[in-house]
Amino acid sequence: MGNAQSPTENLSGNKAIEKIKSIAETARTCFFTTNIGGNTTSRPMALQEVDEVGNLWFLSDVRSLKNDEIEANPNVELYFMNNSKYEYIFIKGKASASQDKTLIEKYWTNFANSWFDGKDDPNISVIKVSPNDGYYYETKDNKFIAMSKMLFAAVTGSPVEDGGVEGELSI
């Protein structure tokens, strides 16, 4: 969009985890991409939680292609988008699936009944994604001001801050 620019703020450690938690838990749904480096597959997935060390947790069916692909290649990519606030985050990490009953109990929601026969369904698994790194973009201003700044830059060709901040994430 024209010459609109965002200041860069790279984050690491706890600050990166806080940013992941903030954006991902607000968006709640992501494109979960498996088979990285091959014939990638993406599907929408509902996030259950980002824990205190930055792991992202999902519920999945053990019979799914996703679980098979994670077992063959644990490298995954997650793409979260919260359009209402212009917040976006991309995460690369390693995934693992488990049928640990304690984790299933912890991450179970009534919404999961749409896919499973209750929390004792033998096909439920919990997927943990341990992030390695990623990238984020978010607006500092409200959506209207950010759009106005981007439109001004596009129309005038003037370099102007677009109202956002972006940067690399390293865990």
Side-chain angles (χ1 to χ4, degrees):
M1 285 204 145
N3 292 322
Q5 301 169 355
S6 300
T8 300
E9 184 180 351
N10 296 328
L11 304 174
S12 62
N14 285 337
K15 288 190 180 222
I17 291 169
E18 289 170 17
K19 186 62 65 185
I20 290 169
K21 188 170 182 64
S22 167
I23 295 176
E25 287 188 349
T26 300
R28 299 303 309 169
T29 303
C30 70
F31 268 107
F32 192 112
T33 303
T34 52
N35 204 21
I36 305 304
N39 199 8
T40 60
T41 308
S42 295
R43 77 282 292 155
M45 291 284 293
L47 174 70
Q48 302 305 311
E49 178 189 36
V50 178
D51 68 21
E52 65 281 348
V53 295
N55 295 316
L56 296 96
W57 295 90
F58 301 85
L59 294 175
S60 178
D61 192 308
V62 295
R63 302 165 297 180
S64 71
L65 176 62
K66 166 186 11 55
N67 284 48
D68 291 342
E69 290 175 339
I70 287 169
E71 188 163 328
N73 176 359
N75 296 305
V76 298
E77 295 177 350
L78 309 176
Y79 301 83
F80 288 92
M81 179 173 70
N82 180 4
N83 266 338
S84 66
K85 289 185 169 183
Y86 284 154
E87 295 177 327
Y88 309 91
I89 194 163
F90 161 68
I91 298 165
K92 292 192 287 186
K94 299 254 187 234
S96 61
S98 164
Q99 286 192 286
D100 181 300
K101 294 293 182 197
T102 305
L103 291 173
I104 291 169
E105 179 71 34
K106 180 177 181 177
Y107 294 114
W108 182 259
T109 64
N110 286 336
F111 187 65
N113 281 317
S114 300
W115 288 274
F116 300 103
D117 227 0
K119 59 182 145 190
D120 294 321
D121 187 321
N123 296 311
I124 299 173
S125 69
V126 178
I127 294 177
K128 174 177 91 170
V129 175
S130 300
N132 298 325
D133 56 44
Y135 202 84
Y136 76 98
Y137 174 87
E138 65 183 345
T139 56
K140 295 182 303 185
D141 304 320
N142 71 41
K143 186 176 177 177
F144 178 74
I145 292 172
M147 280 302 294
S148 298
K149 286 180 177 182
M150 286 186 272
L151 183 59
F152 177 78
V155 169
T156 65
S158 311
V160 63
E161 187 180 313
D162 68 1
V165 62
E166 61 187 289
E168 295 175 6
L169 299 166
S170 57
I171 310 305

